[in-house]
Amino acid sequence: MSSRSSVVVILICGFTALSLAQAPPERPKPGPEHKKLEYFLGTWKTEGEIKANEFVPAGKVVTTETNTLGPGGFYVEFDRPEGQMPRTQGIMAYDSHAKIYTSFYANSAGLMGTSTGTVNGNTWTWMIEDKVFGKAVKGRTTVTIKSASQLTSKYEMLDANGRYVTIVEGTSTKVAP
């Protein structure tokens, strides 16, 4: 092979390698599990009842929450402004590696928590680990989809006897897309 042929082969290999190196990998796309989170998009008004418990007194509660799709469509950001309850912000996502939904929140009262969720039909169950006024607590939230614009929810906390005790129950209605 002549030196001229060698140069041509080297140049072709170089340009091929350069073009392959510059081709960005295809971005992942949200799967059906991620798409299920889109049900929660929009602004929701919740009316509920707090049961008397060791942390807060019983009473009625009304909140509004706005949920938006995060960049790429893999998670939902939620924002519940200050009102009867502390301002709360967080995310809900589907963990493709662990094959489970996950959520994290923090609020203006210094409370924060994480949860993992599963879906069975129209019912979402979130197992929660919170820190409430410095005390670690475990709970669960059950969300039942009633229609395209209404759901019910119930938050229960695990008591010292290992039983779930209802803390808050409510109905949420979508008031804006």
Side-chain angles (χ1 to χ4, degrees):
M1 182 169 6
S2 72
S3 65
R4 185 176 178 157
S5 297
S6 297
V7 170
V8 170
V9 169
I10 290 171
L11 287 174
I12 290 171
C13 289
F15 285 124
T16 301
L18 184 61
S19 69
L20 290 175
Q22 290 181 357
E26 188 175 322
R27 292 187 74 165
K29 293 182 174 48
E33 295 85 0
H34 301 101
K35 295 286 188 186
K36 284 184 181 184
L37 291 167
E38 292 181 11
Y39 169 82
F40 299 102
L41 296 177
T43 300
W44 294 80
K45 180 179 179 182
T46 300
E47 296 183 25
E49 183 179 338
I50 300 172
K51 312 290 185 187
N53 62 78
E54 64 182 286
F55 301 106
V56 294
K60 301 262 183 226
V61 64
V62 177
T63 63
T64 301
E65 178 173 297
T66 299
N67 302 320
T68 56
L69 193 60
F74 287 96
Y75 62 95
V76 171
E77 300 171 326
F78 56 91
D79 184 11
R80 190 174 312 128
E82 192 87 29
Q84 283 185 291
M85 304 291 280
R87 179 171 187 173
T88 303
Q89 294 180 296
I91 63 166
M92 292 185 293
Y94 179 73
D95 183 336
S96 299
H97 300 288
K99 307 279 189 233
I100 196 161
Y101 290 91
T102 187
S103 180
F104 171 81
Y105 80 90
N107 74 22
S108 61
L111 306 178
M112 60 184 61
T114 60
S115 63
T116 56
T118 57
V119 183
N120 185 3
N122 287 337
T123 303
W124 292 68
T125 303
W126 294 90
M127 302 308 291
I128 302 168
E129 294 189 21
D130 287 319
K131 291 220 186 302
V132 180
F133 304 117
K135 180 180 177 184
V137 297
K138 292 187 178 191
R140 71 178 171 207
T141 297
T142 305
V143 175
T144 304
I145 296 172
K146 298 296 186 180
S147 70
S149 60
Q150 190 172 67
L151 61 85
T152 59
S153 60
K154 175 170 60 170
Y155 173 70
E156 302 166 287
M157 193 179 292
L158 201 58
D159 70 10
N161 298 319
R163 293 181 303 222
Y164 282 102
V165 177
T166 300
I167 303 296
V168 182
E169 288 185 282
T171 299
S172 300
T173 303
K174 188 182 281 193
V175 294

